[in-house]
Amino acid sequence: MIEFHLDTRSGVPPYRQLVDQVHRALRLGVLTEGDRLPTVKEVAAQMAVNPNTVLKAYRELEYAGLVAPRPGVGTFVTRTLDDTVHPEYAPLRRELVDWLTRARAAGLAEESIEALFQSTLGDRTGDPLPETGAAR
């Protein structure tokens, strides 16, 4: 079962954080078809948020066709976003683990690693980075 975490400093609304965490769990195979999500009451208590926040997240996931509520039973995953079945997944993951190891050895903090990754991921220009590896 997924365990949610709330980052109050991120600036991302709590409901969006829940949706994003479920998406990640579905993409990584942590959640699979048929798995039950924690109840709204459980998540609201664990994260100290209003139950309506959790309901909003669960409704968005339902509209996306990823989960379905079963009255009196819970909310269940109806499909996955698992990319791990692709043959490219394992070698890419190994390369990423190697890169993360090098980044940590270079003294980068987790926040800096995440910022570097996010800025690189968000770079849609298609321009290759300079050979020096310096960020633009």
Side-chain angles (χ1 to χ4, degrees):
M1 183 180 291
I2 188 170
E3 187 172 314
F4 294 108
H5 302 280
L6 184 63
D7 182 357
T8 56
R9 295 176 289 145
S10 72
V12 177
Y15 91 92
R16 185 77 247 163
Q17 290 184 47
L18 293 173
V19 170
D20 292 345
Q21 288 175 44
V22 170
H23 277 222
R24 274 191 296 279
L26 290 170
R27 191 160 307 286
L28 294 172
V30 172
L31 285 174
T32 59
E33 193 171 327
D35 285 348
R36 185 176 74 77
L37 295 181
T39 66
V40 169
K41 196 175 189 176
E42 291 168 343
V43 177
Q46 176 203 350
M47 296 180 59
V49 296
N50 188 307
N52 288 331
T53 299
V54 183
L55 279 171
K56 184 175 181 178
Y58 280 20
R59 278 193 203 112
E60 187 168 316
L61 293 164
E62 182 183 356
Y63 293 144
L66 299 173
V67 302
R70 294 186 201 156
V73 181
T75 301
F76 293 84
V77 174
T78 56
R79 72 180 177 95
T80 185
L81 301 172
D82 188 353
D83 281 348
T84 61
V85 296
H86 294 292
E88 302 86 11
Y89 181 84
L92 288 171
R93 182 174 172 82
R94 280 191 299 275
E95 289 176 27
L96 183 55
V97 168
D98 290 345
W99 182 86
L100 287 169
T101 302
R102 290 193 315 273
R104 287 183 182 117
L108 271 74
E110 293 294 318
E111 294 83 13
S112 297
I113 291 171
E114 186 175 334
L116 178 60
F117 182 81
Q118 289 296 335
S119 68
T120 304
L121 184 64
D123 182 9
R124 302 288 186 223
T125 64
D127 296 336
L129 291 175
E131 287 298 318
T132 62
R136 287 185 258 163

